[in-house]
Amino acid sequence: MASINSITISGRAGADPEIRYLENGTQVANLRIAVDQFGRDRKPMWLSVKIWGKSAQVAADYVRKGSMVGISGRLEEETWTDRQSGQERSKPVVNCSQLTLLGSPRDQQGQGQQADAGGWGGGPSDEDVPF
């Protein structure tokens, strides 16, 4: 039986995204988001997210600390060697295929807009509609 690796979550950005450019010019944004867990007095779960290409630029332009975002993608494991101890380390990372700007009372400008691997997929803003 084949397994399916798909994740869809929503949460708040813990900080502004960190943007970098690979040698081939591809943009990648790294973002940490806090995802609420069910249950009383439960602390949020923090997840690392990698956002690629045009979606990374959308994140850079519109996502700020505290912004509510929706993320769809694949769950992957990132591994590295700790420089101080020499031990192998790992953490789960969401490799984002679609970013949705959910907005909030603090952040109305990005409400409901989406970016995915195909480019900007959001609908028109209220200012674009003539009636």
Side-chain angles (χ1 to χ4, degrees):
M1 178 195 289
S3 63
I4 297 173
N5 184 352
S6 178
I7 184 169
T8 301
I9 53 175
S10 63
R12 293 205 180 273
D16 293 355
E18 296 176 11
I19 306 297
R20 62 187 171 98
Y21 295 85
L22 304 180
E23 289 180 14
N24 65 4
T26 301
Q27 292 178 310
V28 61
N30 291 307
L31 180 65
R32 297 260 305 153
I33 64 169
V35 178
D36 288 335
Q37 298 188 61
F38 291 108
R40 193 172 193 167
D41 299 326
R42 298 220 31 203
K43 294 181 179 181
M45 177 175 40
W46 286 91
L47 291 173
S48 296
V49 179
K50 286 192 184 236
I51 307 168
W52 300 88
K54 292 179 183 178
S55 296
Q57 186 59 53
V58 170
D61 291 344
Y62 296 102
V63 176
R64 296 290 171 260
K65 180 179 181 178
S67 296
M68 187 69 138
V69 295
I71 304 288
S72 293
R74 294 183 322 272
L75 190 59
E76 298 179 350
E77 184 176 43
E78 189 173 272
T79 60
W80 70 95
T81 302
D82 185 295
R83 291 182 185 172
Q84 293 179 350
S85 68
Q87 293 182 324
E88 285 289 314
R89 303 273 186 199
S90 66
K91 68 177 179 180
V93 175
V94 178
N95 191 340
C96 177
S97 60
Q98 182 174 342
L99 167 69
T100 304
L101 306 175
L102 298 175
S104 70
R106 294 181 285 174
D107 181 24
Q108 287 297 316
Q109 115 184 40
Q111 186 172 1
Q113 296 178 342
Q114 297 180 352
D116 58 28
W120 186 251
S125 71
D126 289 342
E127 295 169 2
D128 295 332
V129 178
F131 48 88

